[in-house]
């Protein structure tokens, strides 16, 4: 993987359109001969105000990437910034506060605290912080997600789709800099899944949020602005304005062949390495190789 | 299946640890008390069997004394000569053996045991059966020489050559310690002083020809029973006034006399064991319920793979039995340790039993395993049935604990039925006018209401915790809200966890109400009835020699002195009952020092020669009226006909082994029971003498008598308070044990809940809950559970206490006092208990790996 971006790593503080950034991010499990590299010197920039999907087969390190970017897991090497805050090297307490105040989360399942009702779940991060939620924004989020008449319900009284909508509302409620969604549609039927993806899309387009979604579903990835493909702990490719078919096609290639084969490049239509390196965020105006 | 069970047992051994601890504690107390009492009784059996003469002849005691009168029964020492002529008798010796002495050192401090064990004065007649041997100095010869046992000498720093004062019933006399004797057997804890026979006779018995018993040794080839028969024949017509015992019978009777004390220790220990078992059951039930709830999927899988219900149930029960087996074995070992500890403790109190002679009878391990296995089996039975009810579908369903939803209807019904029965019993006890039936109704009511509360506990969780934790959201925000809701989450679990604490605190609540009421009642009675400026009395109601009274009378500033004595009597009532009781004799000026309310008659009629007085209710029960003449039997077969001169209407006529509140003039008592000693002397100041001056004067003149105390009304109250406090300390010790186990229960529940809520905790941590906040959440949950248990327990205890007071009121303790301070302290204490119990689970939860918790399977 090219290190072009890392070589002239810009001052993160000045990188305005960047919500999160990783340089040389490495995560190893075990030691000695049994060392497994979950992430192998990954460089990535998450553009602000966009919907980024992270795809890859099982064990490709996509969840680990999310965990490291979100400050849930510590890294073996490299640096991670959230906005202009370097989070690698932060202490546990600061990381907790950072997650609470600046990041929103959606998980595949078990997203909600069963003892709290929908409204209490939505405001939980702010309650934990002892902050007053912005009522106007909260109302907007609740109405956008259509949760108005479900606020007093406990999670057990909600359908899976409704639960994910509540989780989505919670992620949005504190207007975080970045929302991480880990397989948010994994446990839903396709209709409910589409609904949740639609809301995430809306959150980006209408509410101006930044969303990073980990998924293995090409259909889900197609709702994003940009898909990052992970394989063996590296970002092996990316795709702007993806379609489900294109993503599926690429995944198939990915599964069939050597991840380092030029097959990806063929699809990307670029093999000289002169363009933006894989893993780097395509700058605006950079023509997408595949128009829908 | 067995393999799967074993695997599961080993896999959950950490979670079973606390349950095992409960089993260990229960079994340890059971085993410890059995080993201890076996060891002690074996030791004393051996001691008494080895020291008893082949046949012992003592004066017949026609009435067992419950309160010492100070009389010592004697027989003529010449009987020994007569018996030594009997065929088959090798030797016969006159023995002098007097209990209840006080021996003071040069600082006028008692050298006797501080444990309440007696100081015994004995004539020095060493034989191979003596429990002691002379290890330094020489045998006592003549007046003024004595031996003392080495244990007493060591603990009170007495040496050969020291001068002591012996205060016996005939008066006090000085002695010089001329030798030290050492126990060759176990020292039962008493202090021993030896004199030569003549001194013992004249100074201790006041009768140079008297003895307290004759020891008869058999000639070769004559059995003890045969010897006893021959001695009885030789005594002929006199045999009826003597008690003859073979060595075995004597040993048995000695052990029985000591038995009361040992029984108390045994029952206290078994009480601890009972509390441990009771509370332990809750802990084990809870643990197994939770483990099964957590393993619903696994059990469902077993069922899906073809295990039938019986196999699943058996698997869980096998796991329980394994736990019981391990717990019982460790508990047995701990019990041995406990017994060693108790024996050491006895040693500190002066009773030297050798721990290496410990007796572990087969009953002990048998009982230990029956208790340990029984408790776990019973406790695991319901959870096991529930496990067997897990459907194969559970393997596929999401595991979020199906049992939460199970309705509590059955509990509601059973709880209210048992509760109603218990309430009825308590109401019955409150309105009952008979002490015996009221007490049994109280016992029944206590048991039933306890069972009802345990059954209905989970139903009370929601309403009570809503109130208790009501302020949490406001005080602690979302952390408080979550902890309150977590406590409400599984009412069954919260209920069972709190129940363990509830049981102990209900006991405490009840006992503290009862004891506060007793204290208040006694205070009121003392205020009402005691009119004397001072009461001079020994501790433990042991009487004192005449010279004490003489000294009191000779003290400057003393106005009026009223003596009183106790005597054991048996009265033949008109309804045919023979009532054996302790009666009191007073001097005629009783009205000056006490306020007695009479239903009929007055003090003059009560104390007149040949008259007696008794309690009105007692008289009614037995059909006695004023003017009736009753046959009264005194010690030594002395009989009298006494006329009922007055009936009293006192609130408290009973207690301390006395029944019927019978009393008469001191002259009447002395006529039929001569030789008694004053048990209490009431003193009023002469006019012009202040109380403080009189007290100082009395204390000065009584200084040589360390066993005698001068008390005014306030001191007297303190004495009563102290005696009640002893009862309370026992209860608090019980409480301590109950709380320890209850804390284990709370720790257990929280720890397992934390494991169960791993994903939830991970989620909370992911979205920004700080470790500190997480710990606080668990702590608050723990506190609310503990306080719930305390509130429930105290409420129950309050009801019990009030009912107990109703029963006590029949005995004259009419005042009701509720110690609110104690109650509030208990609630606060339970909150602290909650905080402590949460320490480990909270730490564990906060250390939990966020990623492991949220990662999907």
């Amino acid at each position: 993987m090219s290190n072009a971006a890392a070589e002239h790593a810009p001052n993160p503080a000045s990188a305005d359109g960047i919500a999160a950034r990783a340089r040389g991010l490495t995560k190893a499990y075990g030691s000695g001969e049994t060392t497994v590299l979950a992430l192998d010197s990954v460089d990535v920039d998450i553009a602000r105000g966009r919907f980024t999907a992270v795809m890859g087969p099982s064990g490709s390190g996509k969840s680990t990437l999310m965990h490291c970017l979100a400050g849930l897991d510590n890294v073996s090497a490299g640096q991670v910034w959230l906005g202009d805050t370097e989070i690698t090297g932060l202490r546990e307490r600061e990381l907790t506060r950072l997650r609470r105040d600046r990041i929103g989360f959606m998980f595949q399942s078990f997203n909600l605290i069963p003892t709290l009702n929908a409204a209490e779940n939505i405001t939980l991060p702010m309650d934990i912080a002892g902050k007053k939620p912005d009522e106007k924004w909260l109302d907007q989020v609740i109405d956008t997600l259509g949760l108005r008449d479900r606020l007093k319900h406990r999670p057990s009284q909600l359908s899976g789709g409704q639960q994910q909508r509540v989780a989505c509302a919670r992620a949005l409620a504190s207007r975080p800099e970045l929302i991480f969604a880990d397989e948010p549609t994994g446990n839903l039927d396709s209709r409910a899944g589409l609904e949740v993806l639609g809301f995430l899309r809306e959150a980006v387009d209408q509410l101006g949020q930044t969303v990073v979604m980990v998924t293995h579903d090409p259909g889900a990835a197609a709702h994003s602005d940009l898909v990052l493909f992970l394989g063996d702990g590296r970002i092996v490719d990316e795709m702007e304005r993806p379609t489900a078919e294109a993503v599926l096609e690429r995944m198939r290639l990915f599964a069939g062949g050597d991840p380092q084969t030029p097959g990806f490049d063929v699809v990307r239509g670029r093999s000289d390495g002169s363009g933006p390196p894989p893993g780097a965020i395509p700058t605006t105006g950079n023509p997408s190789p595949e128009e829908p | 299946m067995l393999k799967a069970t074993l695997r599961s047992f080993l896999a959950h051994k950490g979670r079973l640890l606390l349950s095992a601890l409960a089993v260990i504690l229960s079994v340890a107390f059971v085993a410890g008390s059995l080993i201890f009492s076996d060891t002690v009784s074996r030791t004393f059996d051996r001691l008494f069997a080895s020291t008893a003469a082949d046949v012992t002849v003592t004066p017949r005691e026609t009435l067992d004394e419950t309160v010492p009168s100070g009389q010592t029964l004697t027989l003529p020492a010449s009987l020994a000569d007569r018996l030594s002529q009997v065929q088959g008798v090798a030797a016969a010796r006159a023995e002098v053996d007097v209990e209840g002495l006080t021996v003071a050192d040069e600082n006028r401090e008692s050298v006797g045991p501080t444990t309440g064990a007696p100081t015994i004065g004995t004539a020095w007649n060493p034989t191979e059966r003596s429990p002691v041997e002379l290890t330094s100095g020489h045998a006592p010869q003549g007046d003024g020489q004595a031996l003392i046992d080495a244990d007493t000498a060591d603990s009170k720093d007495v040496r050969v050559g020291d001068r002591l004062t012996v205060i016996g019933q005939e008066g006090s006399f000085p002695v010089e310690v001329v030798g030290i004797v050492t126990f060759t057997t176990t020292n039962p804890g008493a202090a021993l002083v030896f004199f030569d026979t003549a001194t013992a006779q004249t100074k201790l018995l006041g009768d140079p020809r008297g003895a307290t018993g004759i020891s008869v040794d058999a000639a070769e080839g004559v059995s003890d029973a045969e010897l006893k028969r021959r001695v009885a024949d030789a005594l002929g017509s006199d045999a009826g006034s003597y008690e003859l015992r073979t060595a075995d019978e004597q040993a048995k009777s000695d052990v029985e006399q000591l038995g009361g004390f040992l029984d108390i220790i045994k029952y206290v220990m078994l009480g601890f064991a009972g509390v441990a078992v009771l509370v332990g059951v809750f802990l084990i039930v809870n643990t197994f319920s939770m483990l099964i709830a957590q393993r619903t999927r696994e059990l469902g899988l077993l069922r899906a793979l073809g295990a039938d219900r019986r196999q699943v149930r058996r698997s869980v029960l096998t796991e329980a039995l394994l736990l019981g087996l391990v717990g019982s074995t460790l508990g047995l070992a701990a019990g041995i340790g406990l017994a060693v500890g108790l024996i050491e403790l006895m040693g500190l109190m002066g009773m030297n039993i050798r721990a290496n002679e410990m007796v572990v009878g087969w009953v002990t391990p048998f009982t230990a395993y029956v208790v340990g296995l029984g408790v776990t089996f019973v406790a695991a039975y319901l959870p096991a049935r529930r496990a067997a009810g897990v459907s194969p579908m559970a393997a596929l369903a999401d595991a979020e604990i199906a049992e939460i939803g199970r309705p509590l209807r059955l509990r509601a019904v059973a709880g209210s039925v048992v509760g109603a029965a218990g309430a009825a019993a308590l109401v019955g006890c409150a309105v009952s006018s008979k002490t015996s039936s009221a007490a049994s109704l109280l016992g029944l009511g206590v048991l039933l209401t306890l069972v009802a509360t345990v059954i209905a506990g989970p139903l009370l969780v929601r309403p009570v915790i809503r109130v208790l934790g009501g302020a949490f959201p406001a005080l602690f925000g979302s952390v408080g809200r979550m902890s309150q809701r977590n406590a409400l989450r599984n009412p069954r679990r919260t209920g069972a966890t709190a129940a363990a604490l509830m049981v102990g605190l209900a006991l405490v609540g009840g006992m503290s109400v009862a004891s506060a009421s007793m204290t208040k009642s006694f205070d009121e009675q003392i205020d009402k009835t005691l009119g004397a400026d001072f009461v001079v009395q020994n501790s433990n109601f042991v009487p004192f020699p005449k010279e004490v009274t003489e000294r009191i009378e000779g003290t400057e500033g003393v106005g009026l002195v009223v003596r009183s004595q106790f005597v054991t009597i048996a009265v033949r009532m008109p309804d045919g009952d023979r009532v054996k009781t302790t009666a009191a004799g007073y001097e005629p000026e009783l009205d000056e020092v006490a306020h007695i309310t009479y239903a009929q008659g007055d003090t003059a009629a009560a104390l007149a020669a040949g008259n007696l007085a008794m309690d009105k209710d007692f008289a009614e029960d037995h059909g006695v009226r004023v003017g009736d003449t009753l046959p009264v039997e005194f010690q030594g077969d002395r009989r009298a006909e006494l006329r009922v001169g007055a009936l009293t209407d006192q609130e408290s006529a009973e207690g301390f082994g006395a029944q019927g509140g019978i009393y008469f003039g001191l002259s009447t008592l002395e006529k039929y029971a001569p030789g008694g000693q004053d048990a209490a002397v009431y003193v009023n100041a002469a006019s012009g003498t202040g109380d403080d001056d009189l007290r100082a004067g009395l204390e000065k003149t009584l200084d040589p008598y360390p066993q005698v105390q001068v008390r005014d009304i306030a001191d007297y109250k303190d004495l009563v308070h102290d005696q009640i406090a002893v009862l309370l300390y026992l209860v608090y010790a019980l409480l301590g044990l109950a709380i320890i186990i209850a804390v284990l229960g709370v720790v257990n529940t929280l720890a397992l809940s934390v494991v169960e809520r791993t994903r939830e905790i991970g989620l909370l941590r992911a979205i920004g809950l700080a470790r500190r906040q997480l710990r606080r959440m668990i702590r608050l949950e723990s506190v609310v559970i503990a306080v719930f248990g305390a509130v429930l327990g105290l409420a129950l205890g309050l009801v019990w206490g009030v009912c107990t007071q109703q029963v006590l009121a029949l005995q004259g303790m009419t005042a009701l006092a509720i110690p609110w301070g104690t109650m509030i302290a208990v609630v606060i204490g339970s909150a602290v208990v909650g905080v402590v119990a949460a320490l480990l689970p909270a730490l564990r939860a906060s250390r939990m790996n966020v990623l492991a918790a949220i990662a999907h399977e």
Side-chain angles (χ1 to χ4, degrees), chain B residues 96-296:
Chain B
V96 181
D97 214 346
V98 179
E99 281 194 20
L101 299 183
T102 305
V103 177
D105 62 14
E106 279 155 0
N107 301 322
R108 295 171 172 181
E109 305 271 347
S110 170
V111 301
T114 49
T115 51
T119 301
I120 303 172
T122 307
W124 180 243
N125 285 322
T127 64
E128 72 273 19
R129 285 205 175 89
S130 294
V132 292
E133 60 182 12
L134 191 59
T135 45
S136 71
H138 62 82
Q141 286 152 357
D143 272 12
Q145 293 198 348
L147 307 177
I148 193 160
D149 72 274
D151 293 335
T152 303
D154 283 348
S155 66
K156 302 291 161 132
D157 203 18
V158 178
R159 297 198 190 98
V160 172
D162 281 4
R163 306 203 66 84
L164 301 174
T165 306
V166 179
I167 307 161
Q169 68 190 92
E170 296 302 315
S172 53
F173 58 97
V175 291
E176 187 192 339
V177 177
V178 296
I180 303 284
V181 295
T182 305
F183 277 94
T184 54
T185 60
T186 301
N187 174 2
L192 299 189
V193 197
F194 294 90
F195 313 96
D196 74 358
T197 306
T199 307
Q201 285 172 316
T202 49
K203 300 287 176 120
L204 297 182
L205 296 179
D207 177 1
R209 278 185 272 277
T212 55
I214 310 288
S215 298
V216 185
D217 293 342
E220 194 104 359
V222 180
S223 73
D224 289 0
E226 172 63 17
L227 184 68
K228 180 181 168 185
R229 207 179 48 75
R230 290 192 198 177
V231 169
D233 286 349
L235 289 171
S237 60
D238 292 344
S241 47
Y242 299 113
E243 198 96 52
L244 273 62
R245 293 195 189 93
T246 62
D248 284 351
E249 289 164 348
Q250 181 66 33
K252 204 177 284 173
S253 132
D254 286 341
V255 169
E256 270 167 24
Q257 280 193 1
L258 203 71
F261 166 66
L262 295 178
D263 280 352
I264 289 173
I265 295 181
K266 187 170 170 178
Y267 290 132
V268 167
M269 292 282 293
L270 288 177
F272 279 100
V275 167
V277 167
L278 192 64
V279 182
V281 165
F282 289 108
L283 210 162
I284 298 164
V285 170
N286 234 9
T287 308
F288 273 91
S289 299
M290 281 187 277
L291 286 181
I292 282 158
Q294 288 173 12
R295 281 161 55 197
T296 302

